[in-house]
Amino acid sequence: MFIFTFLQNKKFFYYVIMYRNILSVFLGVIISIIEILYFIKIIKRWFLKIKFIPLNKLKYIFFKAPTEFFLILIFFYAFSALLGGLITAFFVKNAKIAYAILTGFILFLIALFHIFFYPLPLWFKIIILPLFLPFSYLGGYFIEIIQKKINKIKLIRK
């Protein structure tokens, strides 16, 4: 009987949705970070100059890497922000774009710390910082458009 009354309480569902939103932002950020690290590992194999430097020596990889490495890495930073926004917006219940932008902001802060601790070219630092917010916004916007179209189709079928 206690469980049934507990489930009828509106605060319980409020907390469930709140934790769902927090976990979705966390999941979007974690998957974006994993994707960035994985693609650094893949791109590193394409260049002979940095091919044999282990990934735990990331500072030396960035120091010895050619310009083409950073150009490709910019694309994958943008793609990871887009993917993080997509994942966050997919799992969030309401305010999909806002939570996707929050994911982009967290990725921005992580990249800001990353810039200070690793020797990256100045042009790369300038380019990657404004990438995270717009691309995570696009991820949230894509999910919102897709879910609106799905809801419209469901209404038509009824």
Side-chain angles (χ1 to χ4, degrees), residues 94-137:
N94 296 324
K96 297 178 182 307
I97 294 177
Y99 282 105
I101 291 174
L102 177 63
T103 301
F105 182 71
I106 294 170
L107 289 171
F108 170 79
L109 291 177
I110 292 169
L112 198 61
F113 288 121
H114 177 73
I115 283 172
F116 288 122
F117 292 122
Y118 291 104
L120 298 167
L122 180 63
W123 62 269
F124 183 74
K125 292 177 185 181
I126 293 171
I127 291 174
I128 66 165
L129 282 180
L131 278 181
F132 294 105
L133 291 174
F135 278 95
S136 61
Y137 168 80

Side-chain angles (χ1 to χ4, degrees), residues 26 39 49 54-55 61 77 106 109-110 123-124 134 150 157:
F26 180 72
F39 279 116
K49 197 173 186 180
L55 195 58
I61 292 173
Y77 271 109
I106 294 170
L109 291 177
I110 292 169
W123 62 269
F124 183 74
I150 289 172
R157 288 186 180 173

